[in-house]
Amino acid sequence: MLQSAGTTASSQPHTDIAFQRCINPACAAVYEARSVHTSCERCGDLVDIDYEWDRGAVPKSLDEFEAMWSRRYEPMRFSGVWRFHELLPFCRPDEIVTVGEGQTLLQQSDAVGKFVGLDAGRLHLQYEGMNPSGSFKDNGMCAAFTHACMMEAKRAACASTGNTSASLALYCSATQKMKAVIFIGSGKISYGKLSQALDYGALTVQIAGDFDDAMIRVKQISEQLGIYLVNSVNPFRLEGQKTIMFRILEALRWEVPDWIVVPGGNLGNSSAFGKAFAELKQLGLIDRMPRLAVINAAGADTLYELYERRGVRWNGGHVDMEPIRSYNDHMDREGIKADTIASAIEINRPVNLKKCLRALDTMDGVVRQVSDQEILDAKAQVGAGGFGCEPASAASVAGTRLLRREGVIAPSDRVVCVLTGHELKDPTATVAYHTTDQEVFNDVLASRGVQKASHANRAIAVPNELDDIVKAIQLYS
């Protein structure tokens, strides 16, 4: 295991403002920030990055960060992650690695808002597809990669449904600081994402199995070979992902929205968002919390099953593990594998489950599941509004529509849906939804239970004759 001196658990004072702490309150072991821990050495639970905030340079109000943008000639302040360095101060400014991540957009969208049932001006789309690798993963990757460099790692590894691998490969390629080793499952990655990992020069290992199988193996291999692991079980990943919330607040002129709605896969985003708002509230930088909605795909609905059906809760950190073990055993016995067109969230064993439970507790959250049909219909509406996204992203919009129908979200609520990835991450699903080729539709979508494309924008076939082309354009436009 990669480590630095003094990584054993301790209750003694630490010299850095940042340190790592086990999330289990019965353990609460502490580790140095300059050490590698994807789990607690004492109890095996997840670890957090924590800070002695009174020793830091935390601003008195969030609007002080606006001055950072005026210094965008500095790479640290150009980054949409690192310009909030004072809220994730685990490294020195000279240690920061950035490729210009986080230049993303919060777009108010009445067209999509009407589709989900919100009043005009109340729906906002946080478009993380504008990141260098095309997904939200760059927010967390720049933080984990910075820590990997602090630890002088030579190789970094991940299991991936696609976006994590693309992001890791990009940082390794752009910086030339280490080699990327990527584990993917058989047939469980879209070509849009796989092409990135291959093009960026990553060593790609395809195993027989799905993401959950790949996750088990990459943890074993990383431990055995001393490779730095960058999956979201790595707590530094979540530090970078906190900044998505900071940018949303920045775009809303530091006003807290009523709802944050996010797709639920490995649950790193929801965990990071809860941590972000808990810290802002602790620091007195916000006066209230938004509510959190985590949306599963119906074909990968572990969180929904545990939270909404089996009543699993954070419970002050004392999570009842029996329903979790029982459900995992059930999936093993029945051979249940995650299966959804939303490949980025096609995960049955989310590694950040406990941290997500904490976020749901902190933010008075809810969990829902939506079908692939609902996801693709929502995706078509997002695209028609000018912000194409990959299927997993659209789960947030489909989930918002469901929560409006249920009356959980009011039409006057201000809602932010996080769009996690770019449309070109998975063009196959998009083309299949809009195609006139029934065979393609059946192969890609009908096989997953999608029966219709109510919002399809189909191509018009016309003879190669000028008059026919003119008539078609006049008729349909």
Side-chain angles (χ1 to χ4, degrees):
M1 181 177 184
L2 284 165
Q3 60 181 13
S4 65
T7 64
T8 55
S10 170
S11 59
Q12 298 302 311
H14 20 269
T15 56
D16 292 337
I17 180 177
F19 58 98
Q20 301 182 64
R21 188 199 301 274
C22 175
I23 69 168
N24 185 342
C27 175
V30 171
Y31 305 91
E32 291 182 358
R34 294 175 187 271
S35 61
V36 179
H37 296 276
T38 54
S39 62
C40 176
E41 293 180 0
R42 277 186 183 170
C43 71
D45 224 321
L46 297 169
V47 295
D48 264 337
I49 309 304
D50 209 344
Y51 303 96
E52 294 184 66
W53 293 111
D54 58 342
R55 295 176 53 205
V58 179
K60 292 183 174 60
S61 66
L62 285 170
D63 60 13
E64 291 184 29
F65 283 109
E66 293 174 17
M68 306 306 180
W69 185 232
S70 68
R71 292 160 51 189
R72 55 189 175 275
Y73 54 84
E74 301 174 17
M76 183 174 91
R77 298 307 183 184
F78 180 78
S79 167
V81 172
W82 295 115
R83 75 168 176 266
F84 299 102
H85 181 237
E86 288 78 5
L87 296 177
L88 54 154
F90 64 82
C91 59
R92 300 190 310 266
D94 64 300
E95 294 174 313
I96 283 171
V97 177
T98 175
V99 298
E101 60 287 318
Q103 303 307 316
T104 57
L105 179 69
L106 183 72
Q107 178 68 33
Q108 189 267 312
S109 176
D110 282 347
V112 181
K114 182 178 180 181
F115 169 73
V116 302
L118 289 175
D119 293 343
R122 306 311 288 173
L123 182 74
H124 301 262
L125 304 175
Q126 176 63 19
Y127 189 43
E128 290 298 306
M130 294 174 69
N131 272 291
S133 77
S135 86
F136 77 93
K137 300 287 186 178
D138 296 348
N139 296 282
M141 194 59 67
C142 70
F145 198 84
T146 291
H147 186 253
C149 292
M150 290 164 59
M151 301 306 302
E152 300 181 348
K154 303 302 180 189
R155 292 178 293 188
C158 69
S160 183
T161 60
N163 285 330
T164 303
S165 64
S167 185
L168 172 60
L170 181 147
Y171 277 86
C172 287
S173 176
T175 65
Q176 296 292 301
K177 288 182 178 292
M178 62 191 77
K179 180 72 175 180
V181 182
I182 290 161
F183 285 69
I184 61 174
S186 300
K188 292 292 184 178
I189 185 171
S190 74
Y191 281 164
K193 301 170 187 178
L194 179 60
S195 66
Q196 291 179 281
L198 297 175
D199 213 32
Y200 297 149
L203 173 61
T204 302
V205 181
Q206 188 168 22
I207 69 166
D210 60 10
F211 172 84
D212 297 307
D213 299 314
M215 190 70 231
I216 292 170
R217 291 304 183 200
V218 76
K219 290 170 73 173
Q220 293 171 335
I221 293 296
S222 296
E223 179 74 22
Q224 183 171 330
L225 298 182
I227 301 175
Y228 189 93
L229 183 62
V230 299
N231 279 101
S232 60
V233 71
N234 181 318
F236 292 93
R237 273 275 307 276
L238 304 193
E239 290 305 286
Q241 286 165 223
K242 290 189 312 187
T243 63
I244 300 172
M245 296 299 100
F246 303 157
R247 296 197 299 274
I248 286 172
L249 292 177
E250 183 179 47
L252 294 176
R253 307 302 301 135
W254 311 111
E255 293 182 7
V256 177
D258 297 304
W259 285 90
I260 300 291
V261 188
V262 61
N266 229 359
L267 305 182
N269 263 342
S270 49
S271 300
F273 300 169
K275 188 174 189 289
F277 282 110
E279 290 174 347
L280 292 177
K281 189 74 163 54
Q282 175 191 348
L283 293 169
L285 294 172
I286 57 174
D287 57 8
R288 70 180 184 91
M289 295 272 197
R291 295 191 68 186
L292 176 68
V294 184
I295 312 301
N296 280 165
D301 64 347
T302 295
L303 179 65
Y304 177 78
E305 174 69 29
L306 295 175
Y307 190 82
E308 295 291 347
R309 290 178 174 163
R310 304 192 181 209
V312 178
R313 293 294 186 271
W314 172 242
N315 193 29
H318 304 285
V319 178
D320 182 0
M321 297 301 295
E322 181 52 37
I324 300 173
R325 283 191 290 265
S326 174
Y327 187 61
N328 286 341
D329 289 344
H330 164 71
M331 288 192 291
D332 288 340
R333 284 194 311 271
E334 300 298 323
I336 296 173
K337 297 291 186 180
D339 184 22
T340 171
I341 195 68
S343 61
I345 54 175
E346 194 176 45
I347 297 167
N348 264 350
R349 286 175 168 78
V351 298
N352 285 296
L353 175 61
K354 280 192 175 182
K355 288 184 178 180
C356 179
L357 292 173
R358 181 179 62 183
L360 289 163
D361 181 76
T362 299
M363 299 175 67
D364 188 21
V366 298
V367 182
R368 293 293 186 270
Q369 61 165 338
V370 291
S371 68
D372 281 6
Q373 180 74 65
E374 292 170 306
I375 286 172
L376 288 176
D377 287 343
K379 174 177 155 29
Q381 290 294 302
V382 171
F387 290 90
C389 64
E390 68 171 321
S393 296
S396 61
V397 175
T400 300
R401 191 177 195 220
L402 173 61
L403 289 165
R404 266 295 303 121
R405 290 202 304 268
E406 293 177 350
V408 176
I409 291 178
S412 60
D413 284 348
R414 177 181 271 183
V415 180
V416 175
C417 291
V418 180
L419 303 183
T420 47
H422 196 281
E423 180 175 32
L424 295 181
K425 288 286 188 173
D426 192 357
T428 302
T430 303
V431 172
Y433 185 87
H434 294 288
T435 188
T436 57
D437 188 327
Q438 191 64 43
E439 186 176 342
V440 171
F441 180 91
N442 291 342
D443 182 55
V444 178
L445 302 181
S447 61
R448 296 176 180 271
V450 178
Q451 298 301 314
K452 57 185 178 180
S454 301
H455 307 283
N457 177 30
R458 295 186 172 90
I460 306 298
V462 296
N464 186 16
E465 297 291 341
L466 182 58
D467 289 345
D468 291 316
I469 296 171
V470 170
K471 288 177 183 177
I473 292 173
Q474 290 174 331
L475 177 63
Y476 292 107
S477 66

